[in-house]
Structures are given as C-alpha cells and as structure tokens.
Amino acid sequence: MFDYKLLAALAAVVEQAGFERAAQVLGLSQSAVSQRIKLLEARVGQPVLVRATPPTATEIGRRLLNHVQQVRLLERDLQDQVPALDEGGAPERLRIALNADSLATWWAPAVGEFCAEQRVLLDLLVEDQEVGLKRMRAGEVAGCVCAAERPLAGARSLALGAMRYRALASPAFIARHFPNGVAAQELARVPAIVFGPDDQLQHRYLAALGVAGGFAHHLCPSSEGFVRLACAGFGWGLVPELQVEQALASGALQEMLPGQPLDVPLYWHHWRNGGELMATLTRHLQRAARAWLVAPAD
Amino acid sequence: MFDYKLLAALAAVVEQAGFERAAQVLGLSQSAVSQRIKLLEARVGQPVLVRATPPTATEIGRRLLNHVQQVRLLERDLQDQVPALDEGGAPERLRIALNADSLATWWAPAVGEFCAEQRVLLDLLVEDQEVGLKRMRAGEVAGCVCAAERPLAGARSLALGAMRYRALASPAFIARHFPNGVAAQELARVPAIVFGPDDQLQHRYLAALGVAGGFAHHLCPSSEGFVRLACAGFGWGLVPELQVEQALASGALQEMLPGQPLDVPLYWHHWRNGGELMATLTRHLQRAARAWLVAPAD
C-alpha cells in the first residue's frame, strides 16, 4: 500500500499553501515535512511539487492529491463504524470549489444544517463559474459547483438549477444616462461592471440583445463589492436576483430592461467513489438547491 | 525616450492576463503584441515577462510597469489641457488594490461620486489587507488600501481610520454551543470562520483574550459568503460592523462578547508622482473615509 504519511504531507503543503503552515497543521518540524516530500518523490521517481510560492502540485502530484481526497472520504465512512482508526482526532474537512455568486447567496443557507449535523468543516475555494472544474481536476477539492455540465473522468455531475441574473443599476445612474428610458442598443455606451477578466455575463447579455463590440467597464472581483458599486452608481451589471431582493424592493437598484433576465445553470460535480459523506451531501444539495435556484431555461 | 508602444503592450498583457485579450484591447493581432514584447526584451537585454498562465512580469518588467502607471497618471493631467494628445480616446482606467472587506463596505459609496465626476473606470484587485502592498511594489496598481502603514520608496501612505470588527455568530449557533452564555475561554473549542490562510483576525482576537493554540475553522474567501456562513450557523467570526448593521438589528447575528471589538487601521498608499487625479482622489478619500471608518485605537 501507499505510505499515507507521505501523501498527507503532500496534501498539507498544497492545502496550507506552504511548508511552514503544513508543518504546524501536521504537528511536525518543517524539515520533517520536507523529508517526507523528498521521500515521496524518490519513490515516485519524479517531483510531486513545484517549489514556488505557494507550492503547487506537478501533474503526478495532482493525481496523488486526487487519490488522497477520495481516500479521506472513504475513511470517513469507515470511521463511523470503527472510530478508533482515526489517528489525530482532527475534525473532518471538506474542500469545495464554488463560484462567488453561489457563496454570496444560496450556498450557506442550503448546506448549513448538513454541516452542523455531520460535524464537517468546509474549506471553500472561490473560482469563476466557468473555470471551477480546474480545481477538481487538479485534485485540490472533493467537489465543485460550476457552470460546466460535463463531468471529469471518474466524477459525476448533477444539475442543481440556474442562478437568475438581472441587469441592474442605481436610479441615479439610469436617470443620468437614460433620461428618456433605457434603450437596449444604448447599453454598451455607458459603463458596466464586470467581475473579472473571465466574466462574460455582461458580454453575453449584450450579445443576446444584438449589441456587438466592446464596452467600457469597471472590474470588481467581489460579489458584495459588485452590488455596492452598482448601488453607488458606478455602472450597470448582472447581479443574482437572490442577492438583491432587498435592494430591488427598496428601490436602491432598478432593472435596466425589465423581464429580460439571464439564467446560468449550475452543476454539482463530485467523485464517483466519494464515499457516504459526499453521497449524503449530494442528495442534500439536490433537494436544498431547488428552494433557491430556478429550473434551467431551455 | 522610451518606446511607449512597447511598454503599453507589456502593460496590456499583464493587466489583461494574456496575449489574446491584450491584443483585443490594443486592437492588434496577437503576433504583433508578441513582437512588441520581444522587441522590448531585446532593448532591455533581458526577459520582461514570465510566459506562464497568466503571464507575469519579471523583476525588471515590474519596474517598467510601475513606470507606466505613473506616466499614465501624468498624461491624464496634461490631457485636460491638451485633449488632442490622447491616442485611442479610451476612458481612463485606475487600477487599485484593496482588501475584500473595504470593497464589501465603504469603498463604493465613498468614491462613487468621485469616479462619476472624473469619468474614471476602476480596475479593482482584491488582496488580503496584510499583503496588498505587494501589488503596488509589483507595479500592477496605482494605489492600494491595506493595513500596512509603511509606504514603499517613492510612495506615500495616509491613515484613513480603522475598520471595526465584531465577533459574531447566529443565535442558533450561540444557543447550541453556549447555552449558559459565551465564555471567552471556550471560544477556541467551537468552529470559527476564517477568510483564508493569511487571515489572522480570529487568531489575534483569541490571543487578545488570552486564549492560546489552534482552533477548528471553516475557510471562506468571500466577505459576503463569510456573513452568510455566520448567519447559517457554521461558526463565529470577526465581521466589519459596517457590513452587518441590518443583521445585528434584526437579530440574525449576535455579538459573542459585547463591547470587545477589534479595530484594524487602514492606509491609503499612492505614488508620490501620481499626478493630479491621484492627488484629488487622495484628498477625496481622506475626507470621505471619515464617515465610514473609526479613529484608530491607540
């Protein structure tokens, strides 16, 4: 069998983003952690880590991390029956990647009860909804919420429903730029707010309206900051309906083109051999997400 | 003089995080952008870019980017008087790094009016409050809001005031773990919420209470997600007072140890030769931040 002391050292260095913190978590000296990594590399016959800041796994390192994620979940199932097997007694950690807008809206209320009941600690990684699967392929997470449907080899994907986005701006912004009402064709002439270089929502929204070409925009890589910028009149942008119920009700934000939302379907990805905990979480998510997400548009 | 076509290509590749998007922004082919970078490297006599995904600047590349940031700001001052000098007619962009909690609270309302009046577009980069200066040293931003006071060489720092954090949790979480009232010494025995590996707020809070050692925690790198996790009963955590006025008023969150806040002073860093726009923004921030931040604790 594999030497899991070595694999645990690899996982700790990547998850803690450094040798020093990995050593703290493992209760070892930093040089002991280094030695375990070197020993692992000697056995594997090639490097498992790129020594950068932070250290990252090599291709073979990723495959090992992937394996560690799955073994941890399987161990957990067994522990319920054979508790003495647990070495450190540390609480269970589940690493999950998800898009910022899910984290800013439905994720916590949907899984809060599950985590309290199962005594699970979450390590959440925020990734753009188009690229979240990368973290799973890299063996860094046990599951992932993202907009891509196609599962990785060895994994499954489950349609959760869609986030409904609405194009919003502050009343002052609308009054300043569109005193005679918002015309779809004019939207590209006023500043937008965009989450980051990978965020294509505003582009897709304009394209669907038949508006081509670029547009001026602020870049704001924070869900909460995005809403604050919109409320303060910086620009218009697509915001999850779930996040702005109050702001819409109070009139702090207004819809630019009423009745023209954009739905982004979301999928839950998890390893097929993820064990009972992941199976329970998957069943829970399938049920809970319905209360927050809408059925995907055809 | 420097060839600014080459420097603009370097800035675009780093700011757009790739050659393809840089080419789009510059209105050039991708190979033209590559050639400009190669020509720049031939002149400088060493690489200016690390060809990774995304490309990053080398040490010398950073110094060049730093210079570009300052030249852009100086150009803007001149443009007010000599508008014909502007080549592309693209709107002004200001790249600024700030901590997630500032972006989730006071930043947008404090600078909204300024940006609308000056017709400035913002590129915001979120960085932990302890490490934001890195982006400025790397020449990637023109200014930075962070917790470090000491300015870089050639830059100035201005005390803006402090963010007041309160240790909060949901009433259900408190009832479950502390049916007889919260004891400071017991705080480390229940799950906390931590923003990321660099977030030491919860550690500092416990240390100030005289509680030593580690504690179980969820990791949640999103200001809004942090509050959602707290409301859903995942754990306790330090949250900016500004962000949870409603949640405290409605009782969705409660203070763990009333009257024991943690104040984090914030500083505005900007280049000394930043031009009139940055000087105006600095004066504006100094005035506006007072409405949101508290005078730093001694």
Side-chain angles (χ1 to χ4, degrees), chain B residues 19 25 103 180 207 223 261 275:
Chain B
F19 281 81
V25 169
L103 186 49
N180 304 314
S223 289

PDB file of all heavy atoms in Angstrom, chain B residues 19 25 103 180 207 223 261 275:
ATOM      1  N   PHE B  19      -2.017  37.196 -23.789  1.00  0.00           N
ATOM      2  CA  PHE B  19      -1.691  37.861 -25.048  1.00  0.00           C
ATOM      3  C   PHE B  19      -2.939  38.095 -25.895  1.00  0.00           C
ATOM      4  O   PHE B  19      -3.065  39.117 -26.568  1.00  0.00           O
ATOM      5  CB  PHE B  19      -0.681  37.025 -25.836  1.00  0.00           C
ATOM      6  CG  PHE B  19       0.724  37.165 -25.336  1.00  0.00           C
ATOM      7  CD1 PHE B  19       1.163  36.451 -24.231  1.00  0.00           C
ATOM      8  CD2 PHE B  19       1.607  38.037 -25.961  1.00  0.00           C
ATOM      9  CE1 PHE B  19       2.458  36.587 -23.761  1.00  0.00           C
ATOM     10  CE2 PHE B  19       2.911  38.176 -25.501  1.00  0.00           C
ATOM     11  CZ  PHE B  19       3.336  37.451 -24.399  1.00  0.00           C
ATOM     12  N   VAL B  25      -7.649  44.326 -26.693  1.00  0.00           N
ATOM     13  CA  VAL B  25      -7.729  45.657 -26.089  1.00  0.00           C
ATOM     14  C   VAL B  25      -6.926  46.670 -26.894  1.00  0.00           C
ATOM     15  O   VAL B  25      -7.331  47.815 -27.060  1.00  0.00           O
ATOM     16  CB  VAL B  25      -7.234  45.592 -24.625  1.00  0.00           C
ATOM     17  CG1 VAL B  25      -7.037  46.977 -24.054  1.00  0.00           C
ATOM     18  CG2 VAL B  25      -8.209  44.793 -23.792  1.00  0.00           C
ATOM     19  N   LEU B 103     -13.980  46.669   0.133  1.00  0.00           N
ATOM     20  CA  LEU B 103     -14.784  46.620  -1.089  1.00  0.00           C
ATOM     21  C   LEU B 103     -16.219  46.221  -0.766  1.00  0.00           C
ATOM     22  O   LEU B 103     -17.164  46.692  -1.408  1.00  0.00           O
ATOM     23  CB  LEU B 103     -14.146  45.627  -2.072  1.00  0.00           C
ATOM     24  CG  LEU B 103     -14.756  45.528  -3.468  1.00  0.00           C
ATOM     25  CD1 LEU B 103     -14.940  46.890  -4.101  1.00  0.00           C
ATOM     26  CD2 LEU B 103     -13.882  44.652  -4.357  1.00  0.00           C
ATOM     27  N   ASN B 180     -25.245  28.441  28.395  1.00  0.00           N
ATOM     28  CA  ASN B 180     -25.153  29.216  29.644  1.00  0.00           C
ATOM     29  C   ASN B 180     -24.397  30.528  29.453  1.00  0.00           C
ATOM     30  O   ASN B 180     -23.841  31.074  30.403  1.00  0.00           O
ATOM     31  CB  ASN B 180     -24.467  28.375  30.718  1.00  0.00           C
ATOM     32  CG  ASN B 180     -25.180  27.068  30.935  1.00  0.00           C
ATOM     33  OD1 ASN B 180     -26.412  27.044  31.039  1.00  0.00           O
ATOM     34  ND2 ASN B 180     -24.432  25.968  30.965  1.00  0.00           N
ATOM     35  N   ALA B 207      -6.022  35.587  20.850  1.00  0.00           N
ATOM     36  CA  ALA B 207      -4.783  35.871  21.582  1.00  0.00           C
ATOM     37  C   ALA B 207      -5.006  37.037  22.542  1.00  0.00           C
ATOM     38  O   ALA B 207      -4.541  37.011  23.688  1.00  0.00           O
ATOM     39  CB  ALA B 207      -3.645  36.174  20.608  1.00  0.00           C
ATOM     40  N   SER B 223     -16.224  37.965   1.445  1.00  0.00           N
ATOM     41  CA  SER B 223     -16.808  38.754   2.536  1.00  0.00           C
ATOM     42  C   SER B 223     -18.277  38.429   2.702  1.00  0.00           C
ATOM     43  O   SER B 223     -18.776  38.237   3.804  1.00  0.00           O
ATOM     44  CB  SER B 223     -16.659  40.248   2.255  1.00  0.00           C
ATOM     45  OG  SER B 223     -15.335  40.648   2.372  1.00  0.00           O
ATOM     46  N   PRO B 261     -14.698  44.896  20.503  1.00  0.00           N
ATOM     47  CA  PRO B 261     -14.419  44.900  19.066  1.00  0.00           C
ATOM     48  C   PRO B 261     -12.912  44.801  18.800  1.00  0.00           C
ATOM     49  O   PRO B 261     -12.105  44.885  19.724  1.00  0.00           O
ATOM     50  CB  PRO B 261     -14.951  46.255  18.610  1.00  0.00           C
ATOM     51  CG  PRO B 261     -14.774  47.138  19.791  1.00  0.00           C
ATOM     52  CD  PRO B 261     -14.911  46.262  21.019  1.00  0.00           C
ATOM     53  N   GLY B 275       0.402  62.422 -10.051  1.00  0.00           N
ATOM     54  CA  GLY B 275      -0.381  63.346 -10.864  1.00  0.00           C
ATOM     55  C   GLY B 275      -1.603  63.879 -10.136  1.00  0.00           C
ATOM     56  O   GLY B 275      -1.891  63.517  -8.996  1.00  0.00           O
TER      57      GLY B 275
END
